[in-house]
Structures are given as C-alpha cells and as structure tokens.
Amino acid sequence: MPNKANVKAVREQTNVDEQVDVNLAALSTFFTDNSNYKYRILQAMDTESTLAICYLDILIDEKHLNTQLLQLNIDAINEDTIMECLSAMGTVQTFTDHQSIASFLFNAGFICFVQGKKEAYGIPIPGYQTRSIEESKTEPVVRGPRESFTEQIQTNLAMIYRRLKTPYLKTKKYIIGSNSNTEVQAVYLHHLVDKKVLAEFEKRIGQVKLDMLIESAQLEEQIQDHVYTPFPQMAMTERPDRIVAALNEGRIVVLVDGTPSVLIIPTLFTDFLQASEDYYERFYFANITRALRILALVISLLGPSLYVALTTFHQEMLPTPLLLTFSAAKSGVPFPTFIEALIMEIAFELLREAGIRLPRTVGQTISIVGALIIGEAAVQSGIVSRPMVIVVATTGIASFAIPAFNAAIAFRIMRFPIMFIAAATGVFGIAICSLMLILHVSSLRSFGAPLLSPVAPMHWKSWFKNIFIVPYQLREWKDSTTSLSEYQTNQLDEYSKSKE
C-alpha cells in the first residue's frame, strides 16, 4: 500500500522517484475515485527487490498480464535482468514523469515501477474489443476491394502499409485534445508530397486547440482554409484503396483514432465526383459515369428552380403541348408553384432524414413506402401537381448519384436559396446565382490548391488526370526504384550531419 504520509509530499512530485511507494502515491492523485485503476506490489523474499504494476483493468488484456506475471521470477530481478523480463511481455517504453505515465495508462498499457530506478517502464497490451474490418456501407462498389477502415487507427495504418510497400511512406504522429488526447496520424509519400503543402499542414495542425477530438470533422473545421462556406475543402473516405491512390498522387491523408473517416489533403472539386470503381472499370465506361454525375450535380442543384422559373415567368420557352400538360395538371392546386416545390422538397428531406435515423431493417422500406404514399396522397388531394412530384423525385435521385456525401449536402443546402431567387426573378436570377456560385467555388482553396482546378485556373493537361480517365498505356508512370538509392544516400547524409 502507498504510504499515506507521503501523499502530501508527492502532490508536487512530477518526476519518477526511486521509492516505489512514493511513485504509487503520486500516480494515485491522477486516479482519485477511479475504480478501474489497479496496482500490484511484487516483493522478493529478501525484501530488496520490489516491483509495482499499475494499469486500468478495462483497457488492457488482464488475463495476458496475469500469465506473464506468473512467469516473472521476482527473486531473480535486478538491474541486469529487469529489461529482459519486461521485453518478453512486449515493446518497452521508458517514462520519467507521472503525467506521461498517466497518459500511457489511458492508451491501454501497464506501468512497472522498480525500486531504486528513477524511471518507469510501460508495455502496451490492449485488451478492449474493436470492430472488425467490414465492407464500406457509405461507399459500396460492384468491383474492387471490399474492406474499409475501422475506428482503430493502428488497424487503419496497417491496411495502408499492406498496400504501399515502400520506404518512401512516412507517418507523423500528433496528440490533439486536452481531455481526449486523441492520436492523429499524417501519412504521405516523401518523394511525391508537396513540401509546401506539408509545411502548411504541420503549421495548421500545430495551432489546433480542442478539449476533445472525437471525429475527423472537428479537425477538418480547424485546419480548412475557409470556414464560412457550405462547400467542403477536404475529401473524406473510408476506403483504403482510395487513400492509397491519393497518396500516390502526392496527397496527405489524415487518420484520427476513433473514426473510420480519413481526410485527404489537398482536395479538388473533381474529387467529390469520383468513385473508386472508376479505376476498376474500362476507361470509357468510367468517363460516361463521370459525365452522368456532372449532369446529376446540375439537376440536383437547379432542377426545382428551373421548373419554378419556367412555369411562373417563362412559359413561352416551353413547347405548347408541354405547357398545356403542365397547366392542366396545375388546375385545382391552391398553391403557387414555388410553394408546391417548397412543400415537396421539405417532405423529401424529412423522409431522407427519417430513413437514415430509423433502424436499417425498416428504414429503407419506410422511406420508399412513405414517399409513394405521401406523393400519391398529395396529388389526389390536389395539394401538389404530378409534374412537381416528378421534378422533386428526379432531383432527389440525382443528389444520390453524387459519390461524396459531404459535397451532396452542400448542394442540398444551396438548392433552397436558389429556389427563392427563381420564384422572384426567374431564369435571370438562376443565371446570376449560378455565376456567383461558380465565382465563389473558384475562389476557394484547399491548402493553397485552387478547389476548381484544373477548370479554374485552366490546365488542359490535367483534364485527363482529374476529370477524364485515359487508358493505362497513356498515363504517366514514375519508376520510384530508380531514385531509391539516391534517396537512401540523402537520408544517410542528413543523419550524419545531425550527429556532427
């Protein structure tokens, strides 16, 4: 038992003491009223050799720890054999202050204090349950790898290392969150990454101040270029194959412990319209599907607004038979076209949100049945017209065709103000809104890279890399092995200079 008389003396103690009981008393101040904090004192028969083991029982594999302790011969412990015995349990880390020791215990490890040593030894032996690797539910594919990231950052890093077997792959670790102490890993390929982008990322992440980091979206908001815009400036994915492709393009990927969502830096607007499956199908099929996604983007953003503007202000732009059909369907509806569109869009968004929140076994069924019943009932009761139901349904389907969920949300938000302007000014207002929207997106940057590149600024050569897909025979290929020996030589020179 720690000596209670020493507790007051060790309150200001920050470094590891030679006395085991002093260290236990100091460490106990971090875990007051914590029933999961455990410690054990192992003392030899001659009372000269003393060890103390501290841990949080809900985080470590206590069964494995007990097995190892049974094999530990405390009577034979001395300064020459302590490291050998602990190394058999796992990777040993050395600590000299109690603050870092307390943080290590929260990272699923146990601490060993040795009588007469002014340092403590930590061995990680995590024993908590984690989710297994599964297929991505947000980015499904017909052809391609099925596995996706999990909430365990070490598992996610292993999936990246398994696909990129090169010494150029580098990682940098950060701890963010004064309370959560969340691990963040930045991964990049040293010979491909833009050093200016890397330096800017390190500067921004060094300025992040958070009490708690739970999800990568919190970090994204802290380091992005523009805060007050609905459009994302960083792509997000749960697929390791897409992360590997981004690394091979010189991007930086950011993994946050506790979430499967990985950030890609920098990001272009075209990345939000790309899917992993584009690279697994023949190039002309992929180009056709990308063109369909661009069309879906336009329909999702402007579909209801164009219908409201044409039927309200510009009937002369519609063919006469189509105009008569719209007029006949509109007869008996008590609301203006804009109110119809607003009612149906809000109802569709409510059904979409309900389908997400409901259990998966009934969510999809209720969403489809609810949409059919509500739409048919609204038409039969004369609240909305049939063409309006078709327009809203087509818009909703088009929004689902956008692969990036965070980008699709931005277009769903922008759809409503454009509808208001279309109801007031017609097609002219839609044209002005579209121009202002393009100018706004053109002004956005993602760690210095123009978000709308290669369209603005125009780079024709990049069109066949970021917008269209060309056959593999026409793609650029860089033989990394030819420069590997030069890279190794440079690293050795830098290491020699640091030692001088």
Side-chain angles (χ1 to χ4, degrees):
M1 287 288 293
N3 189 350
K4 294 183 178 180
N6 291 333
V7 173
K8 182 177 180 181
V10 301
R11 288 189 184 275
E12 298 180 357
Q13 178 84 15
T14 58
N15 297 327
V16 176
D17 192 81
E18 293 182 351
Q19 300 297 320
V20 169
D21 59 342
V22 174
N23 293 324
L24 290 176
L27 193 60
S28 65
T29 60
F30 290 96
F31 297 98
T32 305
D33 298 329
N34 191 331
S35 60
N36 299 117
Y37 170 68
K38 308 292 183 182
Y39 67 88
R40 303 181 189 179
I41 298 178
L42 307 177
Q43 193 166 7
M45 296 298 295
D46 58 5
T47 69
E48 293 181 0
S49 300
T50 304
L51 295 180
I53 305 297
C54 308
Y55 57 91
L56 293 173
D57 58 357
I58 60 172
L59 293 180
I60 72 166
D61 187 351
E62 196 169 9
K63 182 178 179 181
H64 176 67
L65 176 62
N66 293 334
T67 303
Q68 295 295 331
L69 291 180
L70 287 175
Q71 299 175 1
L72 185 63
N73 185 6
I74 186 65
D75 294 328
I77 288 294
N78 54 51
E79 292 186 5
D80 297 329
T81 60
I82 180 62
M83 291 303 298
E84 180 181 350
C85 296
L86 292 177
S87 297
M89 301 183 188
T91 304
V92 181
Q93 301 180 33
T94 304
F95 301 93
T96 58
D97 63 281
H98 296 115
Q99 178 66 48
S100 58
I101 289 174
S103 299
F104 181 78
L105 293 180
F106 282 109
N107 287 321
F110 76 90
I111 289 293
C112 177
F113 294 111
V114 182
Q115 186 75 18
K117 303 287 289 186
K118 287 189 174 182
E119 58 185 12
Y121 306 103
I123 300 94
I125 49 171
Y128 49 83
Q129 296 296 322
T130 58
R131 182 170 63 94
S132 60
I133 298 175
E134 301 173 350
E135 183 176 356
S136 175
K137 294 180 175 60
T138 58
E139 300 174 88
V141 294
V142 176
R143 180 177 182 178
R146 294 291 190 270
E147 61 184 9
S148 64
F149 288 128
T150 68
E151 287 75 16
Q152 185 70 13
I153 192 171
Q154 299 301 327
T155 304
N156 299 340
L157 284 171
M159 284 191 279
I160 296 176
Y161 272 92
R162 187 161 55 86
R163 288 170 169 80
L164 283 176
K165 306 176 181 69
T166 171
Y168 289 120
L169 187 62
K170 306 296 180 183
T171 60
K172 290 189 177 182
K173 179 180 177 180
Y174 305 90
I175 301 297
I176 298 179
S178 58
N179 292 329
S180 62
N181 289 315
T182 306
E183 179 181 350
V184 176
Q185 291 273 3
V187 187
Y188 59 92
L189 287 174
H190 183 271
H191 66 306
L192 296 178
V193 69
D194 189 331
K195 300 303 186 293
K196 294 182 179 179
V197 175
L198 181 59
E200 181 65 22
F201 167 76
E202 293 176 346
K203 174 185 175 182
R204 294 186 188 182
I205 201 170
Q207 297 173 348
V208 172
K209 304 296 182 183
L210 289 172
D211 294 330
M212 182 179 298
L213 179 60
I214 300 176
E215 220 281 332
S216 57
Q218 297 172 277
L219 183 63
E220 177 184 359
E221 184 175 343
Q222 291 280 323
I223 64 176
Q224 65 184 356
D225 292 62
H226 310 274
V227 178
Y228 302 105
T229 177
F231 297 100
Q233 297 123 61
M234 279 173 266
M236 178 272 296
T237 183
E238 295 181 2
R239 297 185 58 85
D241 55 334
R242 188 177 177 188
I243 288 299
V244 170
L247 290 171
N248 201 54
E249 295 173 353
R251 315 282 184 95
I252 304 170
V253 300
V254 183
L255 293 84
V256 178
D257 191 21
T259 174
S261 302
V262 180
L263 301 176
I264 300 176
I265 299 171
T267 295
L268 304 181
F269 188 82
T270 53
D271 295 333
F272 300 125
L273 301 177
Q274 296 178 4
S276 301
E277 205 168 12
D278 293 349
Y279 296 94
Y280 308 141
E281 298 290 349
R282 300 187 66 84
F283 67 94
Y284 40 81
F285 293 149
N287 288 328
I288 291 174
T289 55
R290 285 192 178 184
L292 286 175
R293 292 189 197 116
I294 295 174
L295 177 62
L297 185 151
V298 176
I299 294 174
S300 173
L301 184 64
L302 302 178
S305 303
L306 285 173
Y307 178 78
V308 170
L310 292 176
T311 56
T312 304
F313 295 99
H314 311 284
Q315 294 90 345
E316 68 279 0
M317 297 180 65
L318 297 173
T320 302
L322 184 60
L323 179 60
L324 293 176
T325 301
F326 285 168
S327 300
K330 188 74 171 63
S331 61
V333 177
F335 302 112
T337 305
F338 168 68
I339 301 299
E340 279 187 83
L342 193 61
I343 292 173
M344 290 304 298
E345 284 292 341
I346 293 175
F348 189 87
E349 292 298 329
L350 287 174
L351 286 171
R352 188 205 302 256
E353 188 67 16
I356 294 175
R357 305 304 164 199
L358 284 171
R360 292 188 179 275
T361 53
V362 297
Q364 186 175 4
T365 303
I366 290 179
S367 297
I368 296 173
V369 174
L372 292 174
I373 293 175
I374 292 176
E376 184 63 26
V379 171
Q380 291 295 335
S381 59
I383 297 176
V384 296
S385 60
R386 293 185 184 273
M388 179 58 69
V389 175
I390 297 173
V391 170
V392 172
T394 304
T395 303
I397 294 172
S399 66
F400 288 124
I402 301 174
F405 182 73
N406 52 353
I409 293 177
F411 292 116
R412 286 162 54 188
I413 294 174
M414 296 305 301
R415 186 189 307 158
F416 288 93
I418 295 177
M419 282 173 52
F420 278 93
I421 295 175
T425 59
V427 174
F428 176 76
I430 296 177
I432 295 298
C433 284
S434 301
L435 178 60
M436 293 178 64
L437 201 59
I438 293 173
L439 291 175
H440 172 68
V441 177
S442 300
S443 67
L444 299 179
R445 297 289 186 272
S446 177
F447 284 82
L451 192 65
L452 214 56
S453 179
V455 178
M458 183 68 69
H459 296 290
W460 288 106
K461 292 184 179 180
S462 299
W463 277 55
F464 296 98
K465 178 181 178 182
N466 298 312
I467 299 180
F468 300 109
I469 295 179
V470 297
Y472 277 99
Q473 291 82 353
L474 301 179
R475 299 180 190 178
E476 295 182 359
W477 179 71
K478 182 177 180 180
D479 187 3
S480 300
T481 59
T482 57
S483 58
L484 188 57
S485 59
E486 181 182 354
Y487 168 76
Q488 185 179 13
T489 302
N490 294 335
Q491 293 297 104
L492 289 174
D493 292 341
E494 291 180 6
Y495 178 76
S496 300
K497 292 178 180 178
S498 65
K499 290 296 183 181
E500 293 178 356

